[in-house]
């Protein structure tokens, strides 16, 4: 039911709330946060191999912003 609604891009508010509830109850938010932090760590390791520069500093700040921002 959930997958079909998502595939059909349902805009039904009750359905959307059901999906949100399912994601929250099944640990989807925590999973997404863990994946996000893993990708952040990988990116920082890659960036650290480059010489210090304004570009490197800007990329590091961008990563921090994307991870720490509040929606």
């Amino acid at each position: 039911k959930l997958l079909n609604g998502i595939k059909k891009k349902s805009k039904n508010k009750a359905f959307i709330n059901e999906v949100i509830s399912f994601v929250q109850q099944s640990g989807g938010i925590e999973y997404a946060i863990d994946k996000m932090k893993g990708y952040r760590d990988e990116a920082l390791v890659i960036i650290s191999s480059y010489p210090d520069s304004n570009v490197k500093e800007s990329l590091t700040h961008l990563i921090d912003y994307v991870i720490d921002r509040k929606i």
Side-chain angles (χ1 to χ4, degrees), residues 18-31:
E18 185 179 351
V19 171
I20 290 169
S21 179
F22 175 78
V23 169
Q24 290 172 333
Q25 290 175 5
S26 64
I29 303 298
E30 291 81 11
Y31 174 80

Side-chain angles (χ1 to χ4, degrees), residues 14-52:
F15 173 75
I16 292 170
N17 287 334
E18 185 179 351
V19 171
I20 290 169
S21 179
F22 175 78
V23 169
Q24 290 172 333
Q25 290 175 5
S26 64
I29 303 298
E30 291 81 11
Y31 174 80
I33 290 170
D34 287 344
K35 292 296 278 185
M36 174 183 66
K37 289 179 179 178
Y39 287 125
R40 173 204 56 203
D41 294 345
E42 288 180 39
L44 290 174
V45 166
I46 292 167
I47 291 171
S48 72
S49 68
Y50 289 93
D52 289 341

Side-chain angles (χ1 to χ4, degrees), residues 7 10 14 24 29 37 50 54 58 69:
K7 286 179 184 177
S10 174
Q24 290 172 333
I29 303 298
K37 289 179 179 178
Y50 289 93
N54 290 336
S58 293
R69 70 189 169 129

